[in-house]
Amino acid sequence: MASPRASTPLPELPEKNSGYREVQYWDQRYQGAADSAPYEWFGDFSSFRDLLEPELRPEDRILVLGCGNSALSYELFLGGFPDVTSVDYSSVVVDAMRARYAHVPKLRWETMDVRALGFPSESFNVVLEKGTLDALLTGEQDPWIVSSEGVHTVDQVLSEVSRVLVPGGRFISMTSAAPHFRARHYAQTRYGWSLRHATYGSGFHFHFYLMHKGGELSVAQLALGAQILSPPRPPTPPCFLSDSDHEEFLSAIQL
């Protein structure tokens, strides 16, 4: 669920939900983003601050994936975490964010695909993503059985996250996807991390996943991860999402 300022009109939506995967859509959407209000997927900083800040240290090198025009990177800076690099594959929004926060030269903005990060291995203590994986999976038709293409896309991102994290580093993922849909993607031994889950938000709850590089998965999590290509079917057919006229569809999609 997005939480834009009340006076901010809703942006133009893609013709189909799968359009959220395309850089062309975001380039068009972010025209003029330097002068527009931040748009926050799945809550603003205040809604998950109590969960996030205990996992951060002032000296951490932090990477924000799929930053869009969110204020998250700036809020981290204001909160005492100044070493923040933010990436997005839309060069339009990256240029806009550089312009918006030109008065904060410590914040870095790079045009980059999260599936192929251009950083050396072990470059960051913390990697954050909020809604980026959700956007990459919007073309999926069945939340219980993610296509092999979808599984591969998520694996590309998570493999890169694991690569750029230092030993003991933390990966934090915020999403609308509940554990029975999303945790199986994270629960893979090749990433070399442990997995914890919490929720945040009032009314509708969003999901906060914390992974520690160097930790171990539980037996139950390993079993869940083994279901990645053949998860059990639900007892009744899920309610499939149709294209919506409002971006709250991302609050309900469960991938």
Side-chain angles (χ1 to χ4, degrees):
M1 180 180 295
S3 55
R5 296 177 185 175
S7 60
T8 304
L10 287 173
E12 182 179 349
L13 308 186
E15 292 183 3
K16 296 182 179 180
N17 286 341
S18 58
Y20 286 95
R21 297 182 300 180
E22 305 300 328
V23 67
Q24 294 84 359
Y25 165 73
W26 296 106
D27 282 345
Q28 180 179 3
R29 170 171 172 155
Y30 286 132
Q31 295 292 335
D35 301 316
S36 63
Y39 198 89
E40 301 292 350
W41 301 101
F42 310 142
D44 59 19
F45 185 63
S46 64
S47 66
F48 51 80
R49 185 171 192 163
D50 289 345
L51 289 172
L52 179 59
E53 284 195 336
E55 304 302 329
L56 305 180
R57 298 185 294 265
E59 66 272 18
D60 280 339
R61 292 164 289 163
I62 300 173
L63 175 63
V64 177
L65 303 180
C67 61
N69 68 339
S70 167
L72 174 59
S73 301
Y74 184 55
E75 295 281 5
L76 288 168
F77 174 83
L78 294 178
F81 308 101
D83 192 345
V84 182
T85 300
S86 307
V87 303
D88 200 289
Y89 68 173
S90 170
S91 61
V92 174
V93 80
V94 168
D95 289 343
M97 297 300 272
R98 283 179 181 149
R100 174 183 290 172
Y101 296 113
H103 63 291
V104 191
K106 283 192 174 182
L107 293 178
R108 295 176 294 277
W109 310 91
E110 301 288 345
T111 302
M112 202 171 293
D113 191 321
V114 298
R115 294 164 289 192
L117 296 172
F119 300 110
S121 298
E122 300 185 6
S123 294
F124 296 96
N125 304 97
V126 177
V127 177
L128 301 174
E129 78 89 17
K130 181 161 70 82
T132 301
L133 291 176
D134 298 72
L136 290 173
L137 287 169
T138 50
E140 294 297 318
Q141 298 300 309
D142 186 337
W144 290 92
I145 301 181
V146 178
S147 69
S148 58
E149 178 185 2
V151 170
H152 177 63
T153 295
V154 174
D155 179 59
Q156 285 180 302
V157 178
L158 300 184
S159 294
E160 283 293 272
V161 170
S162 179
R163 182 184 66 80
V164 302
L165 276 176
V166 300
R170 287 85 70 204
F171 172 44
I172 295 159
S173 176
M174 288 166 277
T175 172
S176 66
H180 51 276
F181 293 116
R182 184 59 61 80
R184 63 192 188 221
H185 292 278
Y186 303 135
Q188 303 296 321
T189 56
R190 60 184 172 276
Y191 305 137
W193 56 39
S194 59
L195 173 61
R196 285 169 44 199
H197 167 260
T199 59
Y200 67 94
S202 58
F204 187 90
H205 284 171
F206 299 115
H207 299 273
F208 183 100
Y209 295 92
L210 171 64
M211 286 135 275
H212 274 260
K213 189 173 180 182
E216 296 183 355
L217 298 167
S218 69
V219 173
Q221 289 169 341
L222 290 170
L224 184 63
Q227 300 173 6
I228 191 65
L229 290 176
S230 57
R233 297 292 302 176
T236 57
C239 178
F240 300 117
L241 295 173
S242 60
D243 286 344
S244 171
D245 59 358
H246 193 287
E247 288 188 329
E248 288 187 354
F249 84 90
L250 277 179
S251 299
I253 200 167
Q254 302 288 336
L255 297 172

